[in-house]
Amino acid sequence: MTQPLTRTRVAVAAGFFLQGLVFAAIVTQTPRIKDKFGIDDGALTGILVLVAVVSGVGSVIAGMIAERRTSAVAFKLALATIGLGALLVGLAPNLGLLLAAFVIYGLGVGGVDAGMNMQGVRVQKAYGRSIMANFHGMWSVGGITGALYASGVAEIDVPLAISLVIVAVVVWLVVVWASPAFIEAQEHEAGLSAKGLDLPWRPILIFGLVVLLFYAADTGILTWSSVYLEDALDASKTVAPLAYGAYQAGALFSRFGGDFLVRRIGAPSVVAIGTTVGIVGLVTVVSAAAPAMAIAGFFIAGLGLAILAPLAFAALAGAVPATALDVAIARMNIANYLGAILGGGLIGAAATADHLRWAFVIPLVLIPIVLLTARSFRTADPDSVEAV
């Protein structure tokens, strides 16, 4: 690697930040999108599911590009694509073109999710210590920044189109600065993406299951936590959003402190502790008698669960040959979107059936399965050479 390692780390972290920024800048403005195009909640849900499905395709495409070129190229193109997607969502004059814009954005999202983790695990390998959780923490920082930005532009009545044009320009400027520092040198096994059965599927499936379970819980919490407080616990419209904020605050603590814990006690122990803490948080949410108790539960859930995704990617990187790494990450990343669809669908179905408290029993039942995989996470420790 010819670039200074610190600049490479900052550049890759910037990519994680941009993903969170664009996602939040679009999703938190969905009320404005609904008003502009006159669509209802059902249609909006359909659009979000479409984005999740297309993102899986984008992840596979990123794996193919990484195999034929490098993960740096895949990451750079995908970041440019989410900028384009944001631009087109803002400028779309009718529903048909809005759907096309979200398809483009979804392809970019899948590519960025895959590309940023491909680059992140390589930077971690170069450092020789756990830093993946910090990268995912930058995604959370980007998400919070994007939400604050969306709130600000709405407050001063900046048109949706202009607000997203600004986001797109910011993305492209950062990509121009950051992409030269991405890690270019990689090993490849020609044609691996076309010969999917040759991939090391056992670690992909083990850690992919963890990713699926995490994002099923994560999507359900992010989508329905505020609704739960308002409808089931009679919280005010001012208090209800604090559930989302509490969960994200817990996630920040988890991700920015998680790498330190991995270095001290090892990834398997961190996964076991994080999962257990997450279960405690979900139990608190389900049994909450008042909004304050539920808000505390969501914070505890974020504190425990948010470490699972970055360590799953780090563990996969330690369990597969270097020649298969990029394609393996792209394949496992599909579990992200399957989990989002599963969590959003199951919890949403329970919520629409007026059983909001029971809706959060779904992630409470699913998350303990992660404990069965904890020992496999020894490959997330940078000094580990064991196979899953």
Side-chain angles (χ1 to χ4, degrees):
M1 179 167 44
T2 58
Q3 298 292 337
L5 191 54
T6 300
R7 186 188 171 193
T8 297
R9 180 176 180 177
V10 171
V12 173
F16 277 82
F17 175 87
L18 290 177
Q19 175 76 311
L21 174 74
V22 177
F23 177 81
I26 292 176
V27 170
T28 56
Q29 296 195 80
T30 50
R32 302 178 76 187
I33 294 173
K34 286 173 59 181
D35 292 342
K36 179 179 178 179
F37 295 97
I39 57 179
D40 58 19
D41 288 340
L44 180 61
T45 300
I47 290 174
L48 296 177
V49 170
L50 173 67
V51 170
V53 172
V54 174
S55 296
V57 178
S59 184
V60 173
I61 293 173
M64 296 171 66
I65 294 173
E67 182 190 11
R68 286 160 175 74
R69 299 288 298 277
T70 66
S71 64
V73 172
F75 193 21
K76 175 172 65 177
L77 291 176
L79 285 168
T81 301
I82 63 169
L84 177 61
L87 177 74
L88 295 177
V89 167
L91 297 178
N94 55 56
L95 184 57
L97 290 178
L98 179 70
L99 291 175
F102 271 112
V103 168
I104 292 171
Y105 172 68
L107 289 172
V109 166
V112 174
D113 282 342
M116 69 187 187
N117 285 296
M118 293 174 192
Q119 286 282 302
V121 296
R122 291 182 183 279
V123 176
Q124 173 167 290
K125 181 178 180 181
Y127 265 81
R129 65 178 188 270
S130 180
I131 59 173
M132 275 298 287
N134 270 252
F135 281 137
H136 281 252
M138 288 304 298
W139 187 99
S140 297
V141 172
I144 293 170
T145 304
L148 291 174
Y149 170 79
S151 175
V153 296
E155 180 67 24
I156 61 176
D157 292 324
V158 175
L160 176 66
I162 293 176
S163 73
L164 292 181
V165 167
I166 293 171
V167 169
V169 171
V170 169
V171 170
W172 292 333
L173 289 176
V174 175
V175 170
V176 169
W177 170 81
S179 58
F182 294 163
I183 297 178
E184 292 280 356
Q186 298 182 29
E187 300 176 11
H188 296 111
E189 183 176 332
L192 185 60
S193 62
K195 300 184 296 182
L197 294 178
D198 290 345
L199 282 171
W201 280 104
R202 187 169 187 270
I204 292 174
L205 293 175
I206 290 174
F207 301 122
L209 174 64
V210 174
V211 169
L212 185 151
L213 294 171
F214 166 72
Y215 280 106
D218 182 73
T219 302
I221 291 171
L222 295 180
T223 305
W224 294 103
S225 56
S226 297
V227 179
Y228 174 57
L229 257 70
E230 187 171 338
D231 292 354
L233 299 177
D234 297 321
S236 68
K237 293 184 182 296
T238 303
V239 171
L242 296 179
Y244 175 93
Y247 178 76
Q248 288 288 30
L252 278 177
F253 276 105
S254 178
R255 287 172 172 171
F256 283 118
D259 288 318
F260 173 77
L261 286 178
V262 170
R263 296 169 203 157
R264 291 294 299 272
I265 63 176
S269 296
V270 172
V271 168
I273 293 170
T275 303
T276 303
V277 171
I279 292 169
V280 170
L282 290 170
V283 168
T284 305
V285 169
V286 170
S287 61
M293 184 176 178
I295 290 169
F298 283 120
F299 173 80
I300 296 168
L303 189 65
L305 299 180
I307 193 64
L308 299 180
L311 290 188
F313 284 103
L316 179 69
V320 302
T323 54
L325 177 58
D326 292 336
V327 178
I329 286 178
R331 291 294 190 272
M332 188 181 83
N333 188 58
I334 296 173
N336 175 341
Y337 314 112
L338 294 176
I341 294 170
L342 175 67
L346 288 178
I347 294 176
T352 54
D354 297 323
H355 299 298
L356 277 168
R357 190 180 299 274
W358 285 101
F360 286 99
V361 173
I362 295 170
L364 178 58
V365 171
L366 293 176
I367 286 298
I369 298 172
V370 175
L371 293 172
L372 302 177
T373 71
R375 290 183 61 187
S376 297
F377 277 82
R378 62 188 181 277
T379 58
D381 295 324
D383 58 351
S384 173
V385 294
E386 297 181 79
V388 175

